[in-house]
């Protein structure tokens, strides 16, 4: 196990619209319960708003909306997964967080051309683990793009829409 | 110092180095113009000395070596053994450029990249003619101990604490084999009984055995002279030790302090810097602003937890009735509350600096600009001691420079013109800072020609910033506002000073970035006064909290003029714009929800609260659903991910832990495209 870092990835596994996703645990800062989110005007729909994370203001995005997946209900299991990448810290709303597991890199395949509507660009690959498929998110893509393009679009929509 | 330790201090070191490099840069350029300014030389020397010291202690040898050589040159200049000339200035500036290169390398994490040998050689060659003479003088055994201001200050501070200063001359035996090691032993043994604040030659030279047989130390110690002499003598191969108490002679002090005043009138500026230096050594510690910010956040959390603690207490009380333990809980939570507020205040204070830090550099600048423009100007500075938050201080310099330039260049007339207008030959520019309630007010005032609204209008029309018709409708005070339009300049001729493309629009943008406002008062023929109002700090802001659409929003109080209540019947329409008449004045109305891009329609109600905000001459009323009240809030940014949202200046955390958004009134109004009351008022 000790030198297994190169050969396997450690994932935080979560559920989103009935599918199983995973992100590299290195990016996951913490997982908190759902809380009151303050909406921000003139932001893209997938930006739910901001929360107070022990004195820090953290934006929260809804991954359902981000990936255009069917909207789920907020339940007792709903969690905000706080991920940190570079200068960006973001909370992601997921249906539930199930476990942390290690996945051999060898078992990860490149993303198939289409997975239930979610844009392939956001995927790193698909891992197989005990007969289960785990969709690996490319967090960098998820966060970077939303920072630029989506926000501009959202702003444009916010101004002339509604 | 281990690698680990160093990295901890690198940030502080880089900050300080940057400050010193800037100081050196400015001062050396000044020196070229007034080469006899002793105080200026002292300032330069001190900066180089400090930089040398900190570089050496960080183990940055190239920086240390180069600054050391610079210091040698500066020392000779300071002692009058060498005169400032173009060559020396050139070499010093070249050294400075190299230092910056080294520093930038360190900042970028690539180490001390860049060679220094060539610059060191140039510095040496400047020194060469003097060195022989200097060595001879030293060999003569003359008592030529000189202390700079910093060292004197250290000594004074030590004296207060009961230490005595001594000059200790040590002569090693002829042919002593390991001179460096001996010197080290002397240092080491003396360190146990006091503190060495200076050595001649410098420690590096001692270590490298670059000295004959003699070296001199300045030591502060509680021991007496005999004890110290014995300590040194206990080391072998010491030929002779002379320990003399140092007396900081009053007359010596006077010469160093009086000289500059007579020299060039640079007194106030440089002395102030001297004072800063003294404070730093004796009383202050430099703290990373980020640290303070973190502390502030932690206190913020405490505040929130305090509130929750109180809630838990109340909940328990309701359930269990009155119990002794609960009363204790209440007491504790109250106490925590008080402490938290005090803590918050203290941390805020720790971020405050006197504005003198910024004002410092202006007298020289004003003089230079006046000379260049051929004008005669008395420059008066008031309120140097006014304190404001460091973050504000950092931002305020550039706008002020521009306003001062403006006053000199466009405001004050030529002497001949002034005489013709029946004014004194010399113009006056007054820079003033003071506190007013929760704000800092800075004014830049001149008794020059003033501004003519008609001329400004004409200029704006000519530049195509506004149509002739629109210009004709403008109120004179609104016309003044035109100078803040991008691309506007009142300059009829492009001068060296004003032709740099920095306009008043940049000034205003700068100020708004730090939640400041700028206003103009002007009387043609009499002069102009710019008034800048700034929050005491960027971190905390007095706000008016309102509720709208289930959310809490904060209006910066600086923008709020008044709050009124209106009934739906009072709302009228002008050009499809909702307005209300307040004391005879037509005020445009906007529903806050609409301004934020949420709901367009007003919710039904019998009366509405209207927050009237003002930006210079514009006024506009925001209809809100509920008023909550005034509160001090801590401003936090929305972060990189969300970035800049029009209409929103940031967020703050409320007492219950929830997040409220802070409104950015200017961009809120700009986003609406409401012509405010410009058009409507006419």
């Amino acid at each position: 196990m000790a030198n297994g870092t190169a050969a396997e990835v450690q994932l935080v596994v979560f559920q989103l619209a009935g599918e199983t996703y995973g992100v590299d645990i290195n990016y996951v800062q913490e997982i908190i319960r759902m809380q009151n989110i303050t909406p921000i005007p003139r932001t893209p729909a997938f930006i739910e708003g901001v929360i107070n994370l022990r004195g820090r203001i953290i934006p929260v995005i809804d991954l359902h909306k981000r990936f255009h997946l069917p909207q789920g209900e907020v339940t007792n299991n709903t969690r905000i997964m706080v991920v940190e990448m570079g200068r960006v810290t973001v909370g992601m709303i997921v249906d539930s967080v199930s476990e942390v597991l290690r996945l051999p890199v060898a078992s990860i395949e490149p993303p198939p051309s289409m997975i239930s509507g979610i844009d392939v660009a956001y995927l790193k690959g698909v891992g197989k683990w005990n007969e289960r498929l785990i969709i690996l998110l490319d967090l960098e893509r998820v966060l970077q793009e939303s920072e630029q393009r989506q926000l501009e679009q959202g702003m444009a929509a916010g101004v002339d829409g509604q | 110092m281990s690698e680990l330790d160093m990295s901890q201090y690198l940030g502080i070191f880089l900050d300080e180095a940057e400050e010193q490099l800037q100081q050196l840069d400015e001062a050396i350029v000044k020196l070229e113009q007034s080469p006899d300014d002793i105080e200026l030389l002292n300032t330069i020397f001190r900066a180089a000395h400090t930089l040398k010291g900190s570089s050496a202690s960080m183990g940055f040898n190239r920086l240390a070596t180069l600054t050391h050589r610079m210091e040698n040159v500066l020392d000779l200049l300071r002692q009058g053994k060498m005169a400032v000339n173009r060559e020396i200035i050139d070499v010093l500036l070249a050294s400075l450029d190299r230092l910056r290169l080294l520093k930038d390398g360190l900042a970028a994490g690539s180490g001390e990249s860049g060679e220094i040998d060539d610059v060191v050689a140039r510095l040496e060659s400047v020194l060469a003619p003097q060195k022989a003479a200097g060595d001879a003088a030293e060999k003569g055994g003359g008592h030529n101990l000189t202390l700079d201001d910093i060292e004197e200050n250290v000594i004074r501070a030590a004296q207060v604490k009961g230490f005595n200063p001594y000059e200790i001359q040590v002569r090693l035996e002829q042919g002593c084999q390991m001179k460096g090691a001996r010197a080290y032993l002397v240092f080491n043994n003396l360190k146990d009984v006091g503190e060495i604040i200076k050595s001649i030659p410098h420690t590096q030279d001692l270590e490298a055995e670059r000295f004959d047989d003699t070296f001199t130390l300045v030591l502060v110690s509680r021991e007496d002279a005999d004890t110290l002499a014995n300590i040194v003598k206990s080391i072998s191969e010491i030929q002779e030790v002379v320990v003399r108490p140092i007396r900081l002679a009053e007359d010596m002090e006077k010469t160093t302090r009086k000289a500059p005043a007579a020299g060039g009138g640079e007194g106030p500026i440089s002395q102030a810097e001297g004072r800063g230096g003294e404070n730093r050594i004796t009383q202050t510690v430099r703290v990373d602003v980020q640290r303070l910010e973190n502390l502030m956040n932690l206190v913020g959390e405490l505040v929130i937890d305090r509130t929750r603690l109180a809630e838990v207490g109340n909940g328990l009380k309701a359930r269990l009735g009155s119990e002794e333990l609960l009363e204790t809980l209440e007491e504790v939570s109250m106490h925590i509350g008080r402490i938290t507020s005090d803590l918050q205040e203290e941390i805020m204070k720790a971020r405050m600096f006197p504005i003198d830090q910024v004002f410092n550099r202006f007298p020289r600048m004003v003089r230079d600009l006046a000379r260049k423009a051929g004008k005669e100007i008395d420059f008066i500075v008031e309120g140097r001691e006014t304190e404001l938050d460091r973050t504000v201080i950092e931002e305020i310099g550039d706008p002020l420079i521009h306003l001062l330039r403006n006053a000199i260049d466009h405001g004050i007339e030529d002497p001949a013109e002034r005489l013709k207008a029946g004014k004194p030959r010399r113009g006056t520019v007054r820079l003033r800072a003071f506190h007013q309630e929760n704000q800092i007010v800075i004014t830049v005032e001149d008794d020059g020609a003033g501004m003519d609204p008609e001329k400004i209008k004409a200029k704006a029309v000519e530049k195509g910033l506004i149509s002739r018709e629109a210009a004709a409708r403008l109120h004179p005070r609104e016309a003044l506002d035109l100078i803040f339009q991008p691309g506007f300049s009142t300059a009829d001729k492009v001068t060296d000073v004003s032709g740099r493309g920095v306009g008043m629009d940049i000034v205003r943008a700068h100020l708004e970035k730090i939640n400041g406002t700028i206003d103009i008062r002007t009387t043609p023929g009499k002069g102009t006064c710019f008034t800048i109002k700034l929050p005491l700090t960027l971190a905390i802001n007095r706000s008016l909290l309102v509720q709208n659409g289930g959310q809490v929003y904060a209006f910066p109080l600086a923008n709020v003029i008044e709050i009124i209540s209106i009934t739906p019947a009072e709302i009228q329409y002008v050009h499809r714009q909702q307005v209300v008449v307040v004391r005879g004045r037509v005020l445009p109305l906007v529903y806050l929800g609409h301004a934020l891009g949420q709901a367009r329609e007003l919710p039904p109600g019998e009366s509405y609260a209207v927050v009237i905000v003002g930006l210079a001459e514009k006024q506009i009323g925001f209809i809100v659903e509920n008023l909550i009240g005034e509160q001090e809030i801590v401003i936090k940014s929305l972060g990189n991910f969300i970035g800049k949202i029009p209409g929103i200046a940031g967020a703050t955390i409320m007492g219950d832990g929830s997040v409220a958004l802070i409104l950015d009134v200017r961009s809120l109004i700009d986003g609406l495209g409401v012509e405010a009351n410009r058009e409507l008022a006419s």
Side-chain angles (χ1 to χ4, degrees), chain B residues 605-623:
Chain B
E606 283 170 13
S607 71
Y608 298 113
V610 175
V611 179
I612 302 177
V613 299
L615 282 168
E617 281 305 289
K618 284 191 200 176
Q619 287 193 6
I620 190 166
F622 281 101
I623 301 173

Side-chain angles (χ1 to χ4, degrees), chain A residues 139-155:
Chain A
L139 219 44
E140 211 155 326
R141 284 272 175 80
V142 174
L143 297 187
Q144 259 175 15
E145 266 199 61
S146 42
E147 200 177 4
Q148 303 296 330
R149 184 169 59 86
Q150 298 281 341
L151 198 56
E152 281 157 23
Q153 280 178 1
M155 266 159 58

